[in-house]
Amino acid sequence: MARYQYLCRECGPWIVVLPMGTAEAARRCPACGGRSKRQWTAPSLNLMDRRLGRLRRREEAGRDVPEVTTAVPPAARRRPATDPRHVTLPRP
Ligand SMILES: [Zn+2]
C-alpha cells in the first residue's frame, strides 16, 4: 500500500492509501466532493518504525557481505534475585 496526496482547491491537501500504481490523476475530495488533482510528493520513508528500519538496513547490508560471528556473544546479564528464596531454586 502507498500513500497518495491529492489537493482540493476548497479543503487543501488530503491523503489516501491505495495499492501501489492504482492512484488516478484526479479523485473526488472526501470532504466536499470537489475534483482533486494528485500531487507528487516524496516517499514517506520517515514513517517507518525505527526498529524496523534498522533491521531492514541490516538485512540489506548482509545480502552482499553476510555478517560473520567471530566471537561468542556475551551472556545475558541476569537480574539479581529480589527474593532470597529464589537463589535456592534450580537453574536451567
Ligand atoms: Zn474538498
Side-chain angles (χ1 to χ4, degrees), residues 21-40:
T22 60
E24 302 147 350
R27 294 179 70 95
R28 294 274 175 211
C29 172
C32 70
R35 187 171 188 270
S36 303
K37 281 187 171 183
R38 181 178 168 192
Q39 292 188 309
W40 294 96

Side-chain angles (χ1 to χ4, degrees), residues 8-12 14 29-36:
C8 174
R9 288 185 181 178
E10 301 297 324
C11 309
W14 55 278
C29 172
C32 70
R35 187 171 188 270
S36 303

